[in-house]
Amino acid sequence: IIEIGPLMFPAGALVVGATFSLRDFVQRRFGKWKCWYWTGAAAVLSAIFSLDVALASVAAFLVSEAVDWAVFTYVGGDFRRRIVLSNLAGIPLDSLVFVPLVFGWFWPAIIGQAFVKFIGSLAAVPFARK
């Protein structure tokens, strides 16, 4: 766990944030419905490490990825804009569902994870072509 001021987050939050943008790349390449296979594969991999974390991850995935998917699919504009807007919608929901299920309602962790995940999601944006 990393603490920066009042915020807390696991080091892996940066990588998790990047997966939101990568899902948008997968959707663009393979289609708006096939990207759900990748989300399912991520949930299965989570179960290998911890069933409790996996169940919380699945719940968070279902909520946050559905919102991310809908925003990315139906919001107009170029690819980069759609990535940023969909991540702004989905990432906070991911933290709002996941953290309370695993750790309880601990706001420094919820806010910290959401912030770091969004920063991690921005790492893929420069590679997005229109």
Side-chain angles (χ1 to χ4, degrees):
I1 300 294
I2 297 170
E3 293 183 45
I4 299 177
L7 303 179
M8 301 173 71
F9 55 91
L14 280 169
V15 174
V16 172
T19 64
F20 277 83
S21 294
L22 295 174
R23 193 214 47 81
D24 295 333
F25 281 87
V26 168
Q27 180 176 337
R28 185 177 188 192
R29 171 71 173 93
F30 296 104
K32 65 182 177 182
W33 296 107
K34 290 184 181 175
C35 67
W36 285 100
Y37 296 124
W38 295 84
T39 301
V44 170
L45 289 174
S46 294
I48 293 170
F49 297 105
S50 166
L51 186 56
D52 291 340
V53 171
L55 292 174
S57 292
V58 167
F61 277 162
L62 289 175
V63 172
S64 63
E65 291 289 346
V67 169
D68 186 282
W69 175 87
V71 171
F72 182 82
T73 300
Y74 298 110
V75 167
D78 70 16
F79 187 48
R80 287 181 182 173
R81 177 178 187 270
R82 292 167 56 212
I83 288 172
V84 171
L85 292 177
S86 67
N87 291 350
L88 276 172
I91 287 173
L93 290 173
D94 185 72
S95 295
L96 275 170
V97 173
F98 179 78
V99 174
L101 289 175
V102 177
F103 304 108
W105 286 96
F106 189 58
W107 286 102
I110 295 168
I111 295 166
Q113 280 199 29
F115 178 74
V116 170
K117 287 176 189 175
F118 185 70
I119 297 301
S121 78
L122 294 177
V125 173
F127 300 101
R129 296 188 185 128
K130 297 180 182 195

